[in-house]
Structures are given as C-alpha cells and as structure tokens.
Amino acid sequence: MPRPFDLLVIGDANPDVVVGPVPRTPEFGQREQLVDTGRLLMGGSAAITACGAARLGLRVAFAGRVGDDAAGAFVRTALAGRGVDVSALATDPELPTPLTTVLTHGADRAILTAPGCLAATGPQDVPDRLLAGAQHVHAGSFFLMPRLARSLGEIFARARGHGAATSLDTNDDPGQRWNAELLGPVLKSTDFLLPNAAEARALAATLAPGSVEGAPEGTAEGDGPGIGPASAAAALARLGPLVVVKDGAAGAVAHDGEVLTRTPAVPADPVDTVGAGDSFDAGFIAAVLHGMDLPAALSFAAACGALSTRAHGGTAAQPTRDEARAAALTTRPGSHA
C-alpha cells in the first residue's frame, strides 16, 4: 500500500530577516546605518529542506513547533504555500516562534537566532502516523533543539521499524561543543549524515578523534592541510551512516565506510547562499528516493544547492526536478576515489 508521504522533515521553521550587505563590524551607539536590502523570508534549515523537496515533486510533511503569533502564521502559510503538509506543525501556547536575522557581507554571513519555542520542540511533536506514513525521515538543526535531540535516536529507530530511511543534517552547534554523548547514539539509527565541510571537521574531531588526529596532508583522498572533508567523511562513516559532506565551490564528497565518492560543484554566480546546503539535502534525499546511484545523487544534490543561490533567501530559487537534472548534466558524474 503506498505511503501518503515520500518525506517527513522534523525540525526548525522560522522567518528569516535577511539584511545586507552590512559592514564587517556594525556600529553600536544608537547609530543608524543604511543597507541595500532587507527581506522577510522563509527560514529554518529543516523548513528550507522541506520546501526544496516539495519543489522537486516529493510529497512532504513537516513536524515541528511555532508560536501562537504572527511569525508562526507566516511560517505556516509559507510552508503550505510551497506544498508542504503542515497538519503536524504544532502551535506553542506560550513561547514565541523562533526568529533569525541574517547579516550578509559578501559571500559571508552572520546568523543571529532567538530560539523561541525551539527548546520546547520534542518527541511529542512527531506523530507516529507520520513516521509510519513516510518513506524517508529527515531532521535538521540538531543542536538547536536539545529536547528533540535527546529523543531523535528513538524517533529514527521507530521510523526504520516502519521501513523508512533516515537522514540528519546537524547544522552548526552555537555552543561549539558538538556533544558526542548526545549525537553518538543517534548516528546508530541514521542512514545518511549530511554536514557541510566545517561541521564535518568539528564532528569528526569530537566523535572520532583517533581517526583524524595527525592525518597527513595531501593524502590519496586529496585532502589538504588539517582535517579535510574526505578524511572527516571517512572517520564519521565508521560510526555507521553514509556521510555526505557539502563543500561549497569544491563540490561534495561521500563516504560509505569503504569507498570515497566525489562530485564537482555546479557552476553558479550566487546572489545569496543562504539555505544552499539545505537545498542540497533536499536534492540528495529526492535522488535517493528516485533510485539514483550515489554518484548521480551527489551530482543532482550539488545542482540543487547551486541553483538555489540564484535569488535571495533559501526558497525563492529552489529548482524543479527537471532544472536540477539539466544542471547536473553540465558536470561530469561523481567519481570514486
């Protein structure tokens, strides 16, 4: 019997206020400064992934929490308008919707988040009917939701018990602790781990320090000085999941514990890179659900990430499946190393 959803996304959803370009150090002292642009956009790593997957034609449901406020209404309307099922998006009666301000400076950005009800998001917000009704379950922003993080291993195990695959994008840890005790058990029930290069290095140094300490420069994997994305992916893959590391203009690498696979980046002249990694996640999940092999899935995901940078915000330029397939064909297929 067909399941009602291809993908269930669990995690954060909030408005993004994107302002810039700003000076590297904004002035305080009550001084007003003018910038070129300011936009109110759909934000939250998990929410951007959900929107990207829906844009690619997947049937997507979202589980998470917003406040009983105008920001929460904005999120609910924005997700539903992009084809995401929000019947399981809970409304917190007391805490506000999270709010993120993104300050842009060239290709760089500073991200300031007021967490609101994120800390209250937990297993009670993930209905078993959705775990049983989705082919794939993805979670984002692991370190922003400690209550959910403590239960995510069990949630993923339940999803797997229903026959679903699982994936996790931890995103950044604002506390820079990269809690191995919290994350380690979750990886045992995670099929795909999807960090960016900086996150992969931090995760590997914390969860598998013996695997990366003293890693030589210029290894056969092609890493440069320090812990490169390939070395980090290999170290993390030994913990269980297939690891896919997003590396911006350098493309992406994947490691299954034995074999390294690479793909180059899809050429792009980015307007805004906010959410590109989340769109990559959506593309990779869609590729896996469509039965693509790993090299093709990496190329397709890289195309989704690159095309999403064509406009401001994380969702405005997310590609259709046909657009991503066409862009992926402009690069060589992913290669094994």
Side-chain angles (χ1 to χ4, degrees):
M1 181 176 178
R3 302 189 187 203
F5 297 106
D6 301 306
L7 173 64
L8 167 63
V9 180
I10 305 168
D12 56 329
N14 56 264
D16 274 354
V17 179
V18 182
V19 179
V22 301
R24 175 62 70 179
T25 305
E27 289 191 37
F28 286 83
Q30 311 301 319
R31 181 151 187 268
E32 184 170 2
Q33 295 172 276
L34 300 180
V35 298
D36 291 343
T37 61
R39 293 176 172 85
L40 177 64
L41 303 165
M42 182 69 236
S45 175
I48 292 172
T49 297
C51 292
R55 178 70 170 158
L56 291 168
L58 299 187
R59 298 165 301 159
V60 183
F62 189 88
R65 181 173 286 244
V66 294
D68 186 12
D69 50 27
F74 170 84
V75 166
R76 192 178 296 277
T77 299
L79 282 170
R82 288 167 173 79
V84 177
D85 185 288
V86 293
S87 60
L89 181 59
T91 299
D92 193 296
E94 298 178 357
L95 295 171
T97 300
L99 182 64
T100 292
T101 300
V102 181
L103 306 179
T104 67
H105 180 88
D108 198 5
R109 59 189 185 268
I111 304 170
L112 307 173
T113 294
C117 60
L118 282 178
T121 305
Q124 76 280 1
D125 297 318
V126 187
D128 196 66
R129 67 175 176 83
L130 290 183
L131 293 176
Q135 294 186 63
H136 190 111
V137 176
H138 173 79
S141 295
F142 181 83
F143 296 107
L144 292 182
M145 293 167 287
R147 186 175 179 184
L148 180 65
R150 287 191 292 271
S151 305
L152 191 60
E154 190 272 335
I155 291 171
F156 274 7
R158 281 161 51 204
R160 281 176 147 190
H162 291 301
T166 59
S167 59
L168 172 65
D169 187 344
T170 66
N171 301 103
D172 191 29
D173 177 7
Q176 295 299 294
R177 291 183 293 271
W178 307 96
N179 191 326
E181 196 172 304
L182 188 65
L183 181 57
V186 178
L187 296 185
K188 296 177 182 178
S189 299
T190 301
D191 292 303
F192 306 101
L193 180 64
L194 301 164
N196 66 26
E199 293 156 1
R201 285 191 291 270
L203 290 168
T206 303
L207 276 78
S211 299
V212 295
E213 287 175 356
E217 298 180 12
T219 66
E221 292 178 332
D223 282 345
I227 305 170
S231 296
L236 292 168
R238 295 186 189 103
L239 302 177
L242 187 152
V243 180
V244 178
V245 179
K246 300 161 282 193
D247 198 17
V253 300
H255 208 294
D256 63 3
E258 296 182 359
V259 178
L260 175 74
T261 305
R262 296 182 178 277
T263 195
V266 171
D269 185 13
V271 172
D272 183 358
T273 60
V274 169
D278 307 316
S279 293
F280 179 107
D281 293 349
F284 185 80
I285 293 166
V288 169
L289 286 170
H290 286 303
M292 295 185 194
D293 62 21
L294 184 55
L298 279 182
S299 295
F300 185 84
C304 290
L307 292 175
S308 76
T309 69
R310 295 173 294 177
H312 290 281
T315 62
Q318 288 177 316
T320 65
R321 186 182 178 192
D322 287 344
E323 287 176 323
R325 290 180 68 179
L329 291 175
T330 66
T331 66
R332 60 179 175 82
S335 62
H336 296 290

